[in-house]
Amino acid sequence: AQSVTQPDIHITVSEGASLELRCNYSYGATPYLFWYVQSPGQGLQLLLKYFSGDTLVQGIKGFEAEFKRSQSSFNLRKPSVHWSDAAEYFCAVGVGTGTASKLTFGTGTRLQVTL
Amino acid sequence: EPEVTQTPSHQVTQMGQEVILRCVPISNHLYFYWYRQILGQKVEFLVSFYNNEISEKSEIFDDQFSVERPDGSNFTLKIRSTKLEDSAMYFCASNSYGYTFGSGTRLTVV
């Protein structure tokens, strides 16, 4: 069965510093990969997604992620973090037939930003 | 940008009562889903719905749960007899080459 691992439960970075959130997946076929952000008490906002093609994906709010098949990873990066980026970040893998995919989520990484 | 709309945003119900959570998916999307997130835990898949029938459901989605698309726009999740452990945030999503989630309904069972 598919699974998603986010090894870091909690990360603290200083505002202006770079950020990398790790995500590893386990799935037998080519995955559809997603990163979502969730502010406290709020819904899930899609940051970016990978379906195929260029392995470096650009998203909203200055985020990007790189799909590395050999490492089964889809790490999220941002060159300079803003205080408003503090939130919970979820990586997810889509399983199934393209648009019919159900999502399996990781346990999330809570990002704290210090000023 | 098109949105998935969920109502209510927060519902409190007594144990054993029936609740219906409502969602309006994006109009030209074909696949609809319910997920839930128990406080402090990860988001879990409940059920997917396509062409007016359930296409897949998880082991969480037992007989007390049901989904319906009663008209062309609404998509509902019914919990027949709520338990304390049903307290969670419930997210609706619709999908057509892009997964969009609603802002969720926080269900509190007391």
Side-chain angles (χ1 to χ4, degrees):
Chain A
Q2 68 284 351
S3 65
V4 177
T5 302
Q6 293 181 247
D8 304 304
I9 297 172
H10 190 187
I11 283 184
T12 300
V13 299
S14 300
E15 188 174 40
S18 63
L19 171 71
E20 182 168 29
L21 303 182
R22 296 183 290 166
C23 172
N24 292 95
Y25 68 89
S26 173
Y27 182 52
T30 300
Y32 299 92
L33 295 161
F34 305 80
W35 274 99
Y36 287 88
V37 61
Q38 184 182 37
S39 297
Q42 301 300 309
L44 296 162
Q45 183 181 23
L46 177 67
L47 287 175
L48 46 78
K49 59 181 183 273
Y50 171 78
F51 283 175
S52 64
D54 193 347
T55 56
L56 185 62
V57 180
Q58 301 297 320
I60 62 171
K61 304 185 179 186
F63 286 93
E64 67 177 25
E66 186 171 12
F67 170 57
K68 293 185 178 179
R69 185 187 302 276
S70 61
Q71 299 176 20
S72 297
S73 69
F74 189 56
N75 294 348
L76 182 72
R77 301 193 294 248
K78 186 170 185 179
S80 178
V81 169
H82 188 263
W83 64 266
S84 61
D85 293 325
E88 186 104 24
Y89 291 80
F90 292 95
C91 180
V93 59
V95 177
T97 309
T99 57
S101 301
K102 71 175 187 184
L103 298 187
T104 296
F105 284 81
T107 50
T109 296
R110 180 165 299 279
L111 173 65
Q112 184 176 356
V113 181
T114 57
L115 300 176
Chain B
E1 186 167 331
E3 289 185 345
V4 174
T5 305
Q6 289 187 245
T7 55
S9 57
H10 191 187
Q11 179 149 4
V12 181
T13 188
Q14 291 201 325
M15 191 168 51
Q17 294 297 304
E18 174 183 286
V19 294
I20 297 176
L21 309 183
R22 302 182 190 278
C23 169
V24 178
I26 294 173
S27 60
N28 61 350
H29 283 190
L30 301 176
Y31 298 89
F32 313 113
Y33 309 81
W34 284 100
Y35 288 78
R36 80 171 185 189
Q37 184 183 30
I38 295 172
L39 186 64
Q41 299 186 23
K42 68 178 179 180
V43 179
E44 302 173 289
F45 168 77
L46 290 178
V47 65
S48 59
F49 192 86
Y50 171 71
N51 201 25
N52 284 319
E53 60 182 26
I54 290 173
S55 51
E56 188 172 355
K57 59 184 180 179
S58 72
E59 62 274 9
I60 303 169
F61 194 88
D62 61 21
D63 291 345
Q64 72 160 341
F65 291 92
S66 62
V67 290
E68 192 177 37
R69 188 159 163 81
D71 53 42
S73 60
N74 291 286
F75 180 50
T76 61
L77 173 70
K78 181 193 292 185
I79 309 175
R80 249 178 286 281
S81 177
T82 51
K83 306 178 190 132
L84 294 176
E85 55 264 37
D86 293 327
S87 295
M89 181 78 97
Y90 288 82
F91 293 106
C92 173
S94 68
N95 184 16
S96 184
Y97 291 105
Y99 235 97
T100 303
F101 282 86
S103 55
T105 294
R106 180 166 298 285
L107 176 65
T108 304
V109 182
V110 297

